[in-house]
Amino acid sequence: MERIVERYERYTYSQQKVSTDSEQENWCLEYPNLVARVELLQRNMRNYSGEDLDSLSSRELHSLEQQLESALKRIRTRKEKSLQDQNNLLAKQLREKKQQQTLEGQTQQEQEGLPQTQSTFRLPQPSPKLQRIPSLTIGLVPSTRLEMKKLAVQVGHPVPTPHSPMAPQPCEQMMANS
């Protein structure tokens, strides 16, 4: 029985020694391959950042350009999708807020006993007089006194008379007064 145990121990120990030896040989063979791969990746990173391009041929430069363009397209697509998702989320939040404000406005109107309207936000309607007032632009001068009187009446100002201080004066009279 002891012989069997000894043989078993020798066999397992020898197997462990053989496996560690083969692993070391494996690592020794793999190390140069890994070093070369790291150097290649570092060179590619420098090329992608625009460094060390002098050593590249025109075919390699063209390939690098295509890789960069496809990467840029993927980046833009992802950015566009992200912005679209954000836009959709904000639109949803806006709709929810509008619904909430509408509900709050309706409950407030019910509590106050006011009739419900379509919207709680209404702008005051401008008076018809203000809608007809021409804008102040250079060169827009009423051509006759009648037009000036109509304009003054629409705005609600007193109508100028020939002797009032608001009446237009000829240039000679203005120069004499000053």
Side-chain angles (χ1 to χ4, degrees):
M1 179 79 148
E2 287 181 23
R3 266 167 122 194
I4 295 174
V5 172
E6 284 177 21
R7 275 185 7 197
Y8 173 75
E9 287 176 354
R10 275 190 305 221
Y11 180 75
T12 39
Y13 178 72
S14 67
Q15 284 292 343
Q16 288 176 352
K17 187 176 183 182
V18 169
S19 68
T20 57
D21 290 341
S22 66
E23 284 180 17
Q24 285 178 347
E25 289 175 18
N26 226 2
W27 285 111
C28 289
L29 293 174
E30 202 170 325
Y31 176 74
N33 292 337
L34 291 174
V35 169
R37 180 146 172 87
V38 166
E39 288 174 1
L40 177 69
L41 291 173
Q42 287 175 342
R43 184 176 60 115
N44 285 343
M45 288 296 293
R46 285 192 303 273
N47 290 341
Y48 290 143
S49 65
E51 300 171 3
D52 297 336
L53 297 177
D54 297 334
S55 62
L56 298 178
S57 68
S58 64
R59 177 178 267 171
E60 290 172 327
L61 285 172
H62 184 69
S63 173
L64 179 65
E65 181 182 18
Q66 287 178 340
Q67 289 173 358
L68 290 173
E69 285 177 357
S70 66
L72 189 60
K73 285 179 186 177
R74 285 191 306 266
I75 290 169
R76 286 182 176 154
T77 302
R78 185 169 182 210
K79 180 181 174 184
E80 186 177 306
K81 184 183 181 311
S82 174
L83 290 174
Q84 186 66 35
D85 291 344
Q86 284 180 333
N87 192 19
N88 291 340
L89 178 66
L90 290 174
K92 180 181 176 184
Q93 290 174 349
L94 183 64
R95 283 191 305 269
E96 289 173 357
K97 280 199 177 227
K98 282 184 179 180
Q99 287 175 351
Q100 183 181 9
Q101 288 175 348
T102 303
L103 290 175
E104 288 175 359
Q106 288 175 353
T107 56
Q108 186 179 19
Q109 287 176 355
E110 288 173 0
Q111 289 174 355
E112 294 175 0
L114 299 174
Q116 294 183 1
T117 60
Q118 187 73 358
S119 173
T120 57
F121 301 106
R122 290 192 181 219
L123 295 174
Q125 295 296 325
S127 68
K129 288 183 181 179
L130 293 178
Q131 289 179 352
R132 286 186 245 136
I133 296 175
S135 63
L136 297 177
T137 51
I138 297 174
L140 179 63
V141 178
S143 60
T144 63
R145 287 183 187 236
L146 181 63
E147 286 180 22
M148 255 178 78
K149 287 181 183 178
K150 286 181 184 176
L151 188 60
V153 169
Q154 286 177 352
V155 175
H157 291 291
V159 178
T161 60
H163 300 292
S164 71
M166 288 181 52
Q169 298 177 1
C171 292
E172 297 88 28
Q173 287 180 356
M174 291 176 66
M175 296 293 276
N177 290 341
S178 48

